[in-house]
Amino acid sequence: MTKASVPGGIPTGMDLMQNPRLNKGTAFTEAEREAFGLIGLMPEGIDTEENRLKRIMLQLAKKSTDMGRYIFLQSLADNDRTLFYKTIMSDPVRFMPIVYTPTVGAACQTYGHIMRRPKGIYLGINRKGRIAEILRHWPEKDIRFIVVTDGERILGLGDLGTNGMGIPIGKLNLYTACAGVPPRMTLPVMIDVGTNNEALLRDPLYMGLKQSRVRGKDYDDFLEEFVQAVQEVFPRCCIQFEDFANVNAVPLLERYRNRVSCFNDDIQGTAGVAVAGVLAALRITGKPLTEQRFLFLGAGSAGTGIANLLSQVMHQAGLPLEEARARCHLFDIEGLVVESRNDLASFQRPFAHKGEQLRSFAEAIEALKPTGIIGVSAVAKAFTQEVIEAMARLNERPIVFPYSNPTSHAECTAEEAYKWSEGRAIFASGSPFPPVRIGDKTLVPGQGNNVYIFPAVGLAVYATEASRVTDGMFITAARAVAEQVTQADLDAGLIYPPLSGILEASVQVAVKVAAEIFKEGQARVPEPEDIELYIRSRMWRPSYKQLL
Ligand code: NAD
């Protein structure tokens, strides 16, 4: 069989078996084996998809660590992409912590050591002026989603340089596994401007540029070239900025959000998931949003991002925007964020109110009487017994969200929040906590995982080819997530839908976000009669395709 005579230009023999998108391993049919020159290159037995999945599960069971499972699964993705997704989608609760946090964090810390083969595109700042040319080296020509990082603030782990590539890869795995975004249309990108991590610079197995980080105009120009090159090479692509340090994350988003299709999940996705948690919590308290008052511990990208979206939702609920903002207070390392402070960044200013710069968080609670406290400071144990008891004294059902990651940085544990509030706290954390028994009740702590928001927004943006990604879309997503929480979930204290049903939950959220995209006039496809049917028709599913 010559290549020219093969149907559909599909490669033959070993080339086909080494193509992760088309490879079916021992599940190639007899006719495909004949047509594509595969006879003799594998045993005679013909597998079902289910058998191949069973074999993967058996092999995974023999691995004794999550890192071993991570390496195994990433190799599977290099070898047979369909089977990789079939595996992780078969049990998201089990596999999400392996392909993403917390395992991906440990993987990034040793990425240069565990790497089998490169994935995605690496843009070294030494290649300035050549970004469009490099993007054209990628074999797929219709890229719709890029997740890009410069590796400077990987999760809570700091500067990991190009080892941070594990994050865009993992995040894009979730776009597909949790919302069906077609994997061949996604591309992880690493902007390599050097690293200030001395240990990596000394490590002979570190594969990034061995220089300290480039900053200032050269950095900005390189990012500008990148954004322009994406518009030129992949004109229908949305860019998701990921794990940039605060000094770059906020300015990058401000620079590009009104120019191209882009968003920052650390800022907007986090805000979406927090707003969803608040809206679901209010279904428990039965109190209106317009009467809430929030105090944030931490005034960085997560804190200001949440305060910004929350005040917009309060505004939609009827409060003038200024009044809504006045109900969101920030407290950072220097104390309460107040008008008289002269050390504030422009994105913190809208939440700098009149008053004294109180230095103690407990004092600020007594003064402001918040209905909810949200921890985004990465300061472990900052929600002390005094803090939780004060919240429980001031509120029948206090909202307590210690969102800082990883678990060791959480402002309090679920058990502490429940114990010190006599089981009355409505709790959600960034990292998962096990259920807690208080008296005769088992309380299930919610996890404010961004995965409820970004894959669904991604699916809607991809399906509608949205030209911009707006706050309105994240607010819509937050409302849709909160609506999915059932009364039974709320009774158990759960304010997010169960992760086990994430794919279907994402579809429901994506349908609402897509409707918002059409309403805002940002879609670049005609509005279909039935948006849900349309969204479902655009989703990718992990099953082997007939090649003949
Ligand atoms: P950041 O560096 O931008 O902000 C940190 C803020 O905490 C700063 O305002 C700083 O002044 C403040 N802070 C530090 N020490 C303090 C102290 N002792 N007392 C009071 N304030 C103090 O970081 P970020 O990107 O906003 O992230 C903050 C945390 O939120 C991280 O732990 C991150 O993992 C977590 N986070 C969670 C989610 C999620 O669960 N969905 C999403 C995003 C971020």
Side-chain angles (χ1 to χ4, degrees):
M1 174 78 53
T2 62
K3 277 195 179 181
S5 65
V6 166
I10 291 169
T12 57
M14 278 299 178
D15 288 343
L16 176 54
M17 290 169 67
Q18 285 170 3
N19 181 317
R21 184 170 67 82
L22 299 172
N23 186 24
K24 303 181 180 188
T26 45
F28 281 112
T29 63
E30 176 64 18
E32 287 167 342
R33 291 175 188 207
E34 272 300 352
F36 299 111
L38 300 172
I39 301 285
L41 296 182
M42 59 188 77
E44 286 296 335
I46 294 176
D47 256 333
T48 59
E49 286 188 32
E50 281 56 44
N51 256 353
R52 282 180 67 73
L53 181 62
K54 209 177 276 175
R55 195 175 292 112
I56 292 299
M57 294 300 182
L58 284 174
Q59 293 175 19
L60 276 169
K62 292 198 187 323
K63 303 274 170 205
S64 54
T65 62
D66 278 346
M67 181 61 80
R69 293 180 193 104
Y70 174 89
I71 295 169
F72 175 82
L73 285 170
Q74 288 301 332
S75 294
L76 177 62
D78 289 341
N79 176 260
D80 181 338
R81 189 194 280 171
T82 312
L83 191 54
F84 165 75
Y85 281 109
K86 205 173 175 63
T87 305
I88 62 174
M89 290 167 84
S90 70
D91 191 349
V93 177
R94 175 176 171 201
F95 290 110
M96 219 180 293
I98 298 174
V99 295
Y100 206 63
T101 53
T103 311
V104 75
C108 287
Q109 286 176 305
T110 54
Y111 210 67
H113 297 200
I114 64 171
M115 186 157 118
R116 297 284 162 100
R117 70 174 182 192
K119 296 178 198 232
I121 285 277
Y122 288 80
L123 299 169
I125 195 157
N126 54 326
R127 309 291 178 187
K128 190 171 180 304
R130 296 182 59 189
I131 295 182
E133 173 201 339
I134 296 170
L135 292 179
R136 288 197 179 92
H137 290 167
W138 190 249
E140 300 292 346
K141 300 302 164 210
D142 188 8
I143 294 298
R144 303 294 188 85
F145 246 98
I146 281 176
V147 175
V148 60
T149 186
D150 69 358
E152 189 169 4
R153 199 234 62 185
I154 295 299
L155 306 170
L157 303 168
D159 183 353
L160 296 185
T162 54
N163 281 3
M165 185 54 140
I167 295 294
I169 292 168
K171 207 114 195 193
L172 287 168
N173 287 163
L174 299 189
Y175 273 98
T176 298
C178 301
V181 174
R184 69 183 297 189
M185 294 181 159
T186 68
L187 175 61
V189 173
M190 166 57 65
I191 303 261
D192 185 0
V193 296
T195 177
N196 294 345
N197 183 325
E198 290 298 326
L200 291 181
L201 291 171
R202 283 194 305 271
D203 181 354
L205 295 186
Y206 176 67
M207 297 306 294
L209 287 174
K210 295 217 168 181
Q211 62 180 51
S212 54
R213 280 189 178 273
V214 172
R215 302 218 182 265
K217 185 170 181 322
D218 287 347
Y219 177 93
D220 292 343
D221 288 351
F222 197 57
L223 265 293
E224 175 68 24
E225 184 190 338
F226 164 69
V227 172
Q228 292 295 340
V230 171
Q231 310 312 301
E232 182 187 325
V233 180
F234 306 123
R236 290 189 287 178
C237 184
C238 175
I239 302 171
Q240 189 212 300
F241 296 106
E242 176 75 22
D243 282 2
F244 283 79
N246 199 2
V247 301
N248 290 318
V250 178
L252 277 174
L253 183 62
E254 286 316 309
R255 199 174 314 143
Y256 294 113
R257 65 188 302 167
N258 296 321
R259 271 175 60 190
V260 303
S261 181
C262 72
F263 69 97
N264 180 313
D265 185 57
D266 306 309
I267 300 173
Q268 294 159 290
T270 302
V273 86
V275 168
V278 167
L279 294 176
L282 297 183
R283 287 178 55 197
I284 297 178
T285 65
K287 300 266 169 63
L289 182 61
T290 47
E291 286 174 16
Q292 306 303 307
R293 188 178 295 281
F294 297 96
L295 176 59
F296 292 78
L297 185 72
S301 28
T304 52
I306 300 170
N308 178 40
L309 209 66
L310 205 46
S311 47
Q312 289 188 52
V313 181
M314 286 182 173
H315 177 46
Q316 289 181 355
L319 284 182
L321 189 57
E322 275 316 303
E323 244 176 77
R325 285 175 175 162
R327 288 181 167 273
C328 296
H329 300 266
L330 309 177
F331 189 105
D332 72 0
I333 195 157
E334 301 298 333
L336 194 61
V337 170
V338 287
E339 220 176 42
S340 55
R341 277 176 59 170
N342 51 19
D343 60 341
L344 300 176
S346 58
F347 58 88
Q348 296 167 319
R349 280 267 155 226
F351 305 101
H353 308 307
K354 285 197 189 346
E356 196 187 330
Q357 185 179 345
L358 300 172
R359 302 283 178 168
S360 133
F361 191 64
E363 235 184 291
I365 289 183
E366 297 299 346
L368 300 166
K369 304 197 178 2
T371 51
I373 49 175
I374 299 177
V376 273
S377 63
V379 182
K381 303 291 174 197
F383 291 172
T384 58
Q385 184 165 357
E386 183 190 6
V387 163
I388 303 289
E389 283 178 356
M391 286 299 290
R393 175 164 38 77
L394 294 167
N395 301 283
E396 175 56 32
R397 300 299 307 268
I399 294 172
V400 178
F401 290 176
Y403 266 174
S404 289
N405 293 317
T407 316
S408 57
H409 289 244
E411 283 81 3
C412 68
T413 65
E415 192 171 1
E416 288 165 345
Y418 290 135
K419 197 172 63 191
W420 294 332
S421 67
E422 298 143 347
R424 287 185 284 125
I426 301 175
F427 179 93
S429 52
S431 304
F433 281 107
V436 178
R437 189 107 191 128
I438 297 277
D440 59 351
K441 242 186 145 180
T442 299
L443 299 167
V444 188
Q447 189 194 352
N449 193 329
N450 292 23
V451 82
Y452 289 114
I453 300 282
F454 72 82
V457 171
L459 174 60
V461 165
Y462 149 71
T464 60
E465 300 182 16
S467 53
R468 300 286 180 276
V469 185
T470 65
D471 281 350
M473 297 170 197
F474 285 95
I475 292 173
T476 303
R479 290 191 194 285
V481 170
E483 280 165 17
Q484 314 247 335
V485 184
T486 63
Q487 193 54 47
D489 294 332
L490 294 175
D491 291 343
L494 256 184
I495 53 169
Y496 292 103
L499 270 181
S500 52
I502 186 73
L503 186 64
E504 191 48 36
S506 295
V507 176
Q508 298 308 324
V509 175
V511 169
K512 301 245 165 83
V513 176
E516 173 70 17
I517 293 171
F518 286 114
K519 194 179 105 198
E520 290 186 22
Q522 299 289 5
R524 287 182 281 188
V525 299
E527 182 164 352
E529 252 175 50
D530 184 332
I531 294 182
E532 179 165 347
L533 208 63
Y534 173 69
I535 290 280
R536 287 188 191 278
S537 75
R538 302 307 309 271
M539 288 169 68
W540 181 87
R541 287 172 186 78
S543 61
Y544 291 130
K545 309 289 176 286
Q546 294 283 352
L547 297 184
L548 288 171

